[in-house]
């Protein structure tokens, strides 16, 4: 895959991410205190680094499951189709569910996933998103917990890709095209 040449400017350091993940996990642990039925659901693929760090800071018994959704723009309407490419392996009825997402952008993906999972009647369902770009929102959707609110920049690293690359960067950076 070739793209226009670009560089990545660091936006959020690995150290700042680690501190924020720890704080989020403390709030999540307090919220679900006493539960023995928590399932942490990572949305593939962008959340895989975040969920790995987050669950290790959550001081509760947890199960981990994954779901992969893909969205396609539809030029003919203002809505977007979201498809489930890989569903959960486990049942979530009556469970406490924490959905972990990398970025909330237009909000279509999260809105679709949350309404799908709610239809399965979990006891509680909350969302933790690493990044939020509120200026891009097209549907009313907010995570329960957000790591960082960022401006309308295309970001990579810490699990997040540009054309499938840069997921392995330990920090979050913005893509800047050089020509
Ligand atoms: P939404 O349905 O528009 O909210 O889409 C959110 C999804 O778009 C995220 O889970 C990412 O996979 C992707 N996305 C949005 N912004 C960026 C970005 O800046 N870099 C990489 N992927 C992004
Ligand atoms: Mg995603």
């Amino acid at each position: 895959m070739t793209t226009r040449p670009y560089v990545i400017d660091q936006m959020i350091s690995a150290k700042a991410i680690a501190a924020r993940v720890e704080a989020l996990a403390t709030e999540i642990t307090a919220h679900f205190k006493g539960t023995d039925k928590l399932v942490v659901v990572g949305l593939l693929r962008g959340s895989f680094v975040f969920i790995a760090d987050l669950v290790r800071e959550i001081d509760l018994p947890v199960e981990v499951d994954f779901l992969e959704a893909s969205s396609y723009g539809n030029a003919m309407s203002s809505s977007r189709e979201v498809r489930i490419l890989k569903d959960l392996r486990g049942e979530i009825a009556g469970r406490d569910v924490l959905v972990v997402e990398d970025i909330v952008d237009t909000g279509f993906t999260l809105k679709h996933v949350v309404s799908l999972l709610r239809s399965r009647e979990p006891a509680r369902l909350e969302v933790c998103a690493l990044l939020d770009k509120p200026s891009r929102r097209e549907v009313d959707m907010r995570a329960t917990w957000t790591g960082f609110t960022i401006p309308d920049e295309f970001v990579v690293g810490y699990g997040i890709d540009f054309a499938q690359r840069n997921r392995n960067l330990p920090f979050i950076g913005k893509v800047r095209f050089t020509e």
Side-chain angles (χ1 to χ4, degrees), residues 71-137:
S71 71
Y72 299 87
N74 180 349
M76 300 305 290
S77 88
S78 61
S79 69
R80 280 198 314 176
E81 187 187 347
V82 179
R83 283 187 222 166
I84 302 302
L85 302 180
K86 183 215 167 294
D87 205 339
L88 299 177
R89 289 291 299 274
E91 305 285 330
I92 56 164
R95 306 288 299 267
D96 288 332
V97 175
L98 177 69
V99 176
V100 176
E101 172 62 310
D102 56 353
I103 308 180
V104 188
D105 189 39
T106 63
F108 281 111
T109 306
L110 198 56
K111 189 160 185 130
H112 182 89
V113 166
V114 164
S115 71
L116 173 73
L117 297 184
R118 279 201 201 286
S119 74
R120 296 176 186 178
E121 304 187 333
R124 290 184 282 183
L125 187 153
E126 308 293 348
V127 177
C128 182
L130 178 65
L131 303 175
D132 188 8
K133 291 194 221 174
S135 62
R136 297 254 313 157
R137 199 73 88 257

Side-chain angles (χ1 to χ4, degrees), residues 43-47 69 71 80 82 101-111 131 133 136-139 141 150-157 160-163 167 173 175:
L43 301 195
L44 294 172
R45 285 173 262 178
S47 73
S71 71
R80 280 198 314 176
V82 179
E101 172 62 310
D102 56 353
I103 308 180
V104 188
D105 189 39
T106 63
F108 281 111
T109 306
L110 198 56
K111 189 160 185 130
L131 303 175
K133 291 194 221 174
R136 297 254 313 157
R137 199 73 88 257
E138 291 179 37
V139 292
M141 192 67 223
I150 61 168
D152 182 13
E153 301 277 3
F154 196 86
V155 296
V156 293
I160 301 163
D161 73 300
F162 173 42
R167 293 190 195 272
V175 169

